[in-house]
Amino acid sequence: MSIYQNILEAIDNDEKLFAVLIDPDKFSLADTEKFIKNVNASITTHIFVGGSTVDENDTVALVRNIKKHTNLPVVLFPGDVTQITDQADALLFLSLLSSRNAEYLISKHVEAVSKLRDSSLEVIPTGYLLIESGVKTAVEKVTKSKPIDRENIQYIVDTASAGQFLGMSLIYLEAGSGAKQPLTSEIIKAVKKELKIPLIVGGGLRTKYQIENAYLAGADMVVVGTAFEEDEAFFEELKK
């Protein structure tokens, strides 16, 4: 069964999915075994790998190392075509729907095709929405695009719905790496109400309470990255 089908099945069974996001640019390979041991003991169901600015070979090396220590699916969350590697299990084929920068709406995707044509990666079309979070995030800097105003909830909903109409398999609502504020329950609820596809929520989540609130609001999968970079002890709160 594909990773996407597993996600759909888990949602049908009312299971909450949780992904740890590892940024190769901020992670030491020497820490992999210890870190993944904590991941395996936690509620984590998926491992996402990617970042806004990552050297070409760092992603490959990190994914290989992760796969030595876990059976969890490793999914690429790439900031650039250079982060695509067959060593992973799947790829979120991200279209930055909140942007009007054609490079991240389609150009990067065309560039990726030569790498994906003979690839064994499961490619999952994903509508990606960057929402304003109180700080200029790495995504905003790299893509040279503005996030959607968090107060303009109807526009956020309409953008997510447009992604669904375009045939996306997932919608990813993102406050951005290092966000000061996570997405509000109001935003998550409003988007979830309109979607018939899974909703992923990430950015700015630093406590178990915030994670639980995201689930209660309608997130099918929650993604946490920075909180673990800042404090690995956070895993203690998220044990199985």
Side-chain angles (χ1 to χ4, degrees):
M1 186 182 294
S2 72
I3 288 171
Y4 183 66
Q5 286 300 319
N6 277 328
I7 289 173
L8 295 179
E9 186 175 285
I11 293 169
D12 284 343
N13 293 329
D14 292 322
E15 298 173 24
K16 295 305 180 186
L17 302 169
F18 184 80
V20 171
L21 172 60
I22 305 176
D23 186 341
D25 197 41
K26 301 175 182 176
F27 190 83
S28 170
L29 285 179
D31 296 332
T32 307
E33 184 173 2
K34 178 189 172 187
F35 188 84
I36 298 302
K37 184 177 180 181
N38 286 329
V39 169
N40 289 334
S42 74
I43 62 172
T44 302
T45 57
H46 296 74
I47 297 172
F48 285 4
V49 176
S52 297
T53 55
V54 179
D55 287 342
E56 186 163 359
N57 296 321
D58 288 354
T59 302
V60 179
L62 177 57
V63 171
R64 279 180 180 156
N65 228 11
I66 290 171
K67 298 285 281 183
K68 292 177 184 176
H69 304 290
T70 188
N71 292 318
L72 292 173
V74 178
V75 181
L76 297 176
F77 177 64
D80 193 80
V81 176
T82 57
Q83 295 174 38
I84 296 175
T85 169
D86 266 347
Q87 300 298 315
D89 300 302
L91 163 73
L92 297 185
F93 202 54
L94 302 167
S95 185
L96 185 56
L97 300 180
S98 55
S99 168
R100 294 300 174 266
N101 182 347
E103 189 173 12
Y104 291 91
L105 284 168
I106 185 60
S107 295
K108 289 286 186 181
H109 309 75
V110 175
E111 191 180 336
V113 169
S114 59
K115 283 197 166 194
L116 295 173
R117 183 169 283 114
D118 299 315
S119 171
S120 60
L121 280 170
E122 178 183 342
V123 179
I124 307 174
T126 304
Y128 183 60
L129 282 70
L130 182 63
I131 313 300
E132 180 271 318
S133 65
V135 66
K136 190 170 185 177
T137 64
V139 175
E140 185 178 348
K141 293 173 186 174
V142 170
T143 63
K144 298 179 177 62
S145 65
K146 293 292 183 184
I148 302 175
D149 184 344
R150 66 171 42 223
E151 300 300 324
N152 197 346
I153 295 177
Q154 189 58 56
Y155 188 76
I156 295 171
V157 170
D158 290 349
T159 304
S161 295
Q164 180 173 252
F165 288 145
L166 281 167
M168 301 296 174
S169 297
L170 301 170
I171 293 295
Y172 194 138
L173 286 183
E174 170 78 290
S177 177
K180 285 186 178 179
Q181 312 166 56
L183 298 174
T184 64
S185 295
E186 188 180 4
I187 292 171
I188 299 169
K189 283 178 183 175
V191 172
K192 181 61 179 177
K193 185 178 179 181
E194 291 251 344
L195 292 184
K196 295 178 182 177
I197 56 177
L199 175 62
I200 302 175
V201 173
L205 297 160
R206 290 182 171 82
T207 68
K208 187 177 181 181
Y209 175 77
Q210 290 174 332
I211 291 169
E212 289 173 347
N213 276 348
Y215 285 133
L216 287 171
D220 297 303
M221 177 185 287
V222 169
V223 182
V224 172
T226 302
F228 295 118
E229 293 168 10
E230 295 175 346
D231 182 14
E232 248 181 76
F234 188 36
F235 277 117
E236 292 297 317
E237 297 183 46
L238 301 173
K239 283 190 173 179
K240 290 178 182 175

